[in-house]
Amino acid sequence: MESLIRMLHYIQQGEFWIFPLLIVMALGFAIATERYVYLTITRVRNRGMLDKILGLLNKDDIQQAYAASSKSDIAIGKMVSYGLARYKSSHTRDDVEMAMEESMMEIIPRLEKRTQYVATFANVATLLGLLGTVMGLIG
């Protein structure tokens, strides 16, 4: 409770410049939290799909693995589905790798969405803090 009172006291002393700083902090925290939740869910779903596909591939059931991966909208499912589709037409390892790398070009932007804003907000928060300090010293 004492730390909350101390924090509110600092906010009152911060005058005008504390409010843009709090807004930037809240936006950065919201984006970081959303990305953490999304990436955690994606990791769990990818791990489950990969276990399912690997089980089918270990049994040499490529048709079932392709059917399971092509139906899913999970990142690893799409990547494996591209690779298995290419495997049907060309059995060379390089062609399969190239198809899977192409699918990664579609998947990575969804995973990295909005992550650059966290760094931007961190830089803006630092500058707002410095501006508030300078204005406080001038005042």
Side-chain angles (χ1 to χ4, degrees), residues 45-46 49-50 53 65-84 100 103 107 110:
R45 292 176 70 201
N46 280 334
M49 177 58 76
L50 185 62
I53 292 172
Y66 178 72
S69 63
S70 64
K71 283 190 260 181
S72 77
D73 63 341
I74 299 171
I76 196 78
K78 286 186 177 194
M79 188 176 75
V80 171
S81 127
Y82 276 49
L84 290 176
M100 293 176 85
S103 70
I107 294 168
R110 284 190 298 168

Side-chain angles (χ1 to χ4, degrees), residues 38-54:
Y38 176 78
L39 292 175
T40 301
I41 290 170
T42 301
R43 185 184 68 208
V44 169
R45 292 176 70 201
N46 280 334
R47 183 130 357 228
M49 177 58 76
L50 185 62
D51 290 342
K52 180 180 178 180
I53 292 172
L54 284 177

Side-chain angles (χ1 to χ4, degrees), residues 15 43 60 87 95 106 113-114 126:
E15 297 178 3
R43 185 184 68 208
D60 288 331
Y87 180 76
D95 289 341
E106 295 176 14
K113 190 192 309 185
R114 289 188 292 276
T126 303

Side-chain angles (χ1 to χ4, degrees), residues 77-96:
K78 286 186 177 194
M79 188 176 75
V80 171
S81 127
Y82 276 49
L84 290 176
R86 185 66 58 94
Y87 180 76
K88 287 181 178 181
S89 62
S90 171
H91 290 303
T92 64
R93 181 184 177 111
D94 291 336
D95 289 341
V96 173

